[in-house]
Amino acid sequence: MLLVTVSVSKAETCESLLYESDVPLAFDIRAYETITTFPGSLMGTCSDRCLRDKSCLAVEICESGGTKYCRLVRGWTPGYLGVTGTETCKQYAVVLNTTCGALEFYDRETAQCVQQDVCNFELTTEPTCFLTETTGDIFDWTRRSGSTSSVSTGPPSAKVGSYYKYTETSSPRLTGDTAWLVSNRVFEDKTYCLSMYYHMYGSTQGTLKIQTITGSDPPVTHWELSGDQGNTWHSLDKLNLPLNNNTMIRFEGIRGTNYYSDMSIDYVVLWPFACP
């Protein structure tokens, strides 16, 4: 179903939006803008905004609580969208006259295929994932499906798909023990945008940090959160990280004062451009 066509004189081409699939309403972490007011039709307003914004690769028409709205989506669209819930959005993707590799998406701004770094932990080894275990910490993150082994802490299930990573803080873990995940990519000298889902439930919840380390310099903390955040998944988006070929990203999980401090992450995305 062809919805809209807009002439783009700079490239001397016509770009269009076509229905691609239904996507879960809860899978909103790729959306960089939500439009709730529109002077004309919802689809007309959202399509025009998307096609005129080179960051946009799709429009998703959603409805929640009787209110319709749209969200503009950037970046790579995974083939698997296993988010629980019955509410969905209609996704209309920009029609492109090029095909990128399986781990890439087409950047309309630069007219190039760009690598997308995504960790959704669905596979033991993920070629798209830019995070890996390392040495120097006290214990490792654990890949998990379903709830953790302790009550009153940890998530009941993954946010996206079936698997996530978490810090198991039962014995022999002690207060202040650290678990690290570090990047395994060589980055360009520019600002990247990081987004993810996180879950920090438990009465003695510890601290989660996102840091960068350049060479032998001390870590720089760009985001930090401590304490019980409730038994729900939260989203972190639009975290700018200045990187270069000598910079490493580090996720640090720090155990709280008791085992009620299992923290989890899911669907971690590193966008190869600054946050909008």
Side-chain angles (χ1 to χ4, degrees):
M1 175 172 44
L2 183 63
L3 290 177
V4 64
T5 302
V6 174
S7 296
V8 184
S9 58
K10 179 180 177 181
E12 296 183 351
T13 61
C14 267
E15 290 185 326
S16 322
L17 285 170
L18 281 172
Y19 171 76
E20 185 170 86
S21 64
D22 283 11
V23 297
L25 178 70
F27 191 49
D28 58 355
I29 203 161
R30 300 159 306 125
Y32 68 92
E33 183 179 355
T34 299
I35 301 173
T36 57
T37 59
F38 35 92
S41 70
L42 173 62
M43 192 65 222
T45 299
C46 298
S47 299
D48 183 69
R49 287 281 291 278
C50 179
L51 292 174
R52 296 184 188 280
D53 179 0
K54 294 296 185 181
S55 299
C56 183
L57 285 181
V59 168
E60 292 176 354
I61 304 298
C62 308
E63 182 174 355
S64 180
T67 301
K68 289 187 176 181
Y69 62 95
C70 76
R71 54 197 189 197
L72 306 186
V73 175
R74 59 185 175 177
W76 174 68
T77 299
Y80 182 71
L81 297 172
V83 179
T84 57
T86 57
E87 293 182 298
T88 60
C89 304
K90 301 289 185 183
Q91 184 183 94
Y92 301 85
V94 177
V95 177
L96 303 170
N97 59 359
T98 187
T99 301
C100 296
L103 309 183
E104 300 175 322
F105 71 91
Y106 185 73
D107 181 4
R108 293 171 61 212
E109 187 68 40
T110 62
Q112 294 178 341
C113 291
V114 180
Q115 178 176 310
Q116 178 73 78
D117 292 313
V118 182
C119 303
N120 62 14
F121 310 117
E122 292 303 300
L123 302 175
T124 304
T125 301
E126 290 183 307
T128 63
C129 187
F130 63 99
L131 296 173
T132 188
E133 298 291 341
T134 187
T135 58
D137 53 359
I138 305 300
F139 66 109
D140 287 342
W141 290 73
T142 301
R143 179 174 172 263
R144 184 82 177 186
S145 177
S147 61
T148 65
S149 59
S150 302
V151 298
S152 301
T153 188
S157 61
K159 172 64 175 179
V160 178
S162 300
Y163 289 87
Y164 58 94
K165 279 214 165 181
Y166 84 106
T167 57
E168 174 53 67
T169 56
S170 299
S171 179
R173 301 282 69 85
L174 301 174
T175 301
D177 281 0
T178 56
W180 295 341
L181 290 172
V182 299
S183 58
N184 57 7
R185 299 276 198 266
V186 176
F187 301 111
E188 298 179 47
D189 187 3
K190 63 181 182 180
T191 298
Y192 291 70
C193 183
L194 186 139
S195 59
M196 70 171 183
Y197 292 109
Y198 64 91
H199 191 286
M200 297 176 66
Y201 170 52
S203 59
T204 59
Q205 186 59 247
T207 300
L208 177 59
K209 297 181 181 181
I210 299 175
Q211 303 172 315
T212 56
I213 303 173
T214 301
S216 59
D217 294 343
V220 176
T221 299
H222 298 270
W223 182 85
E224 178 178 346
L225 188 63
S226 301
D228 184 7
Q229 305 301 312
N231 190 11
T232 187
W233 285 97
H234 303 273
S235 62
L236 168 68
D237 56 6
K238 299 182 180 179
L239 179 65
N240 278 315
L241 297 177
L243 304 175
N244 60 47
N245 61 8
N246 198 33
T247 302
M248 176 179 68
I249 301 170
R250 185 171 78 182
F251 281 59
E252 181 177 56
I254 305 175
R255 185 192 189 265
T257 57
N258 207 324
Y259 68 85
Y260 298 111
S261 57
D262 293 350
M263 65 183 66
S264 311
I265 58 174
D266 199 3
Y267 203 79
V268 185
V269 185
L270 188 66
W271 310 95
F273 37 68
C275 304

